[in-house]
């Protein structure tokens, strides 16, 4: 009999400390992201720092394909709701843009200047802003904390307007944190300030999916055990609540490299995200 018990919650959710060569990131994302923005800006296919709210970080970038977009992908960055911004991830739009889709990437206010519930509301507004600019089906993707935010958008308490929510065709949560309660046990909760009420209200795994929800939970084989558990958890629960779900564990990928597939139009992660 295998018995599991997590004694070190900080270690369970610490990625950098458990990935060989992790000091490469986040710097390894900066140069390709800047190069992608520069290329699309030179071609007139990048609209940068579009305002979607009153906050200083309420800005999004929109990257456009060479022809009329087939639809819109929104990518929501991670960083445990307290780090990073849209500028680190621009190159990850390449897979979908090269496949004919527009891609929006929002920044959002970070904790402790906001609660996670407030970030959820900001992302809802950002998606609505981008959706008003691009017609067609809407696909949502997010990494880590962004995976939480993306999946939160297709719950019955979504902040999305009805007409926007109806356009959502697929969500891909990449290494997503779908149950916030374990995070309350970590030192980072001094910054996040998650309490029991917020965890119950904002954890996708504890909420019902909206009618017609379709979600893929995608993680790397080299992830921490908690991320693999969180990945399987949401798909398992939502299958029982009527959503169309799938779970993928991609071999030879860890928490930082798992997003790389989005930069490649032929990679299964990109193909899955934009699939019918």
């Amino acid at each position: 009999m295998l018995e599991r018990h997590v004694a070190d919650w900080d270690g369970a959710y610490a990625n950098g400390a458990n990935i060989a060569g992790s000091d490469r990131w986040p710097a390894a994302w900066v140069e390709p992201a800047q190069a992608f923005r520069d290329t699309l800006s030179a071609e007139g296919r990048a609209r940068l720092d579009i305002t979607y709210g009153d906050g200083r970080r309420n800005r999004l970038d929109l990257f456009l394909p060479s022809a009329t977009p087939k639809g819109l992908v929104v990518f929501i960055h991670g960083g445990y709701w307290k780090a990073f911004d849209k500028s680190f991830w621009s190159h990850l739009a390449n897979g979908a843009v090269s496949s004919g889709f527009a891609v929006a990437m929002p920044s959002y206010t970070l904790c402790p200047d906001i609660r996670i519930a407030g970030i959820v509301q900001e992302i809802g507004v950002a998606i609505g802003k981008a959706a008003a600019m691009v017609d067609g089906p809407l696909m949502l993707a997010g990494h880590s904390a962004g995976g939480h935010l993306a999946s939160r958008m297709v719950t019955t308490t979504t902040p999305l307007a009805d007409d926007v929510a109806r356009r959502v065709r697929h969500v891909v949560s990449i290494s997503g944190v779908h149950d916030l309660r374990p995070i309350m046990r970590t030192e980072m909760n001094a910054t996040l300030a998650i309490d029991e009420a917020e965890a119950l209200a904002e954890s996708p795994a504890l909420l019902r999916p909206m009618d017609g929800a379709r979600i893929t939970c995608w993680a790397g084989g080299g992830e921490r055990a908690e991320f693999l558990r969180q990945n399987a958890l949401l798909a398992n629960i939502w299958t029982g609540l009527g959503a169309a779900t799938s779970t993928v564990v991609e071999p030879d990928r860890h928490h930082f490299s798992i997003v790389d597939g989005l930069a490649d139009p032929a990679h299964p992660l990109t193909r899955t995200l934009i699939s019918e």
Side-chain angles (χ1 to χ4, degrees):
M1 181 178 69
L2 177 64
E3 183 175 83
R4 289 191 60 202
H5 173 71
V6 179
D8 178 7
W9 288 99
D10 290 301
Y13 283 91
N15 290 298
N18 293 286
I19 296 172
S22 65
D23 55 347
R24 289 182 53 220
W25 291 275
W29 292 316
V30 173
E31 185 174 338
Q34 183 66 60
F36 183 82
R37 286 196 302 278
D38 290 347
T39 297
L40 264 69
S41 294
E43 296 174 358
R45 297 196 286 129
R47 299 184 60 185
L48 306 179
D49 290 322
I50 298 168
T51 301
Y52 70 82
D54 296 331
R56 177 178 58 84
R57 293 174 57 93
N58 293 164
R59 304 287 186 272
L60 64 85
D61 294 341
L62 182 67
F63 303 109
L64 299 168
S66 55
T68 301
K70 298 176 182 178
L72 173 67
V73 170
V74 179
F75 175 81
I76 308 164
H77 74 80
Y80 278 130
W81 308 274
K82 62 185 182 68
F84 301 129
D85 61 45
K86 59 185 173 58
S87 69
F88 288 83
W89 323 94
S90 308
H91 59 297
L92 300 183
N94 183 62
V97 168
S98 296
S99 301
F101 292 82
V103 176
M105 293 190 171
S107 292
Y108 48 86
T109 306
L110 300 176
C111 298
D113 294 335
I114 195 172
R115 299 290 296 266
I116 288 176
I119 298 175
V120 168
Q121 297 301 314
E122 287 191 351
I123 291 299
V125 175
I127 292 171
K129 176 74 172 186
M133 302 172 69
V134 180
D135 293 332
L138 176 58
M139 283 68 66
L140 309 179
H143 174 232
S144 197
H148 158 267
L149 295 165
S151 53
R152 178 68 179 81
M153 294 300 114
V154 291
T155 65
T156 54
T157 55
T158 180
L160 297 179
D162 288 346
D163 60 331
V164 176
R166 284 193 295 268
R167 288 173 55 187
V168 178
R169 185 169 80 189
H170 194 192
V171 173
V172 177
S173 178
I174 307 165
S175 305
V177 180
H178 304 125
D179 182 355
L180 298 179
R181 293 173 298 180
I183 306 300
M184 294 168 59
R185 297 173 177 262
T186 67
E187 290 184 1
M188 76 179 94
N189 203 44
T191 298
L192 302 177
I194 304 167
D195 56 25
E196 187 75 9
E198 185 171 49
L200 294 175
E202 301 299 340
S203 296
L206 306 180
L207 301 173
R208 288 187 170 273
M210 65 173 60
D211 289 344
R214 176 175 169 238
I215 190 164
T216 297
C217 297
W218 192 293
E223 298 267 9
R224 304 293 289 156
E226 269 296 278
F227 281 93
L228 292 170
R229 186 186 68 82
Q230 291 260 7
N231 194 60
L233 175 69
L234 184 63
N236 190 338
I237 292 175
W238 277 16
T239 300
L241 297 175
T245 70
S246 56
T247 305
V248 176
V249 177
E250 185 178 353
D252 303 319
R253 298 279 185 172
H254 54 64
H255 192 75
F256 299 147
S257 63
I258 189 62
V259 293
D260 291 350
L262 290 175
D264 180 359
H267 192 279
L269 180 55
T270 298
R271 304 316 304 166
T272 297
L273 174 61
I274 63 176
S275 62
E276 295 288 347

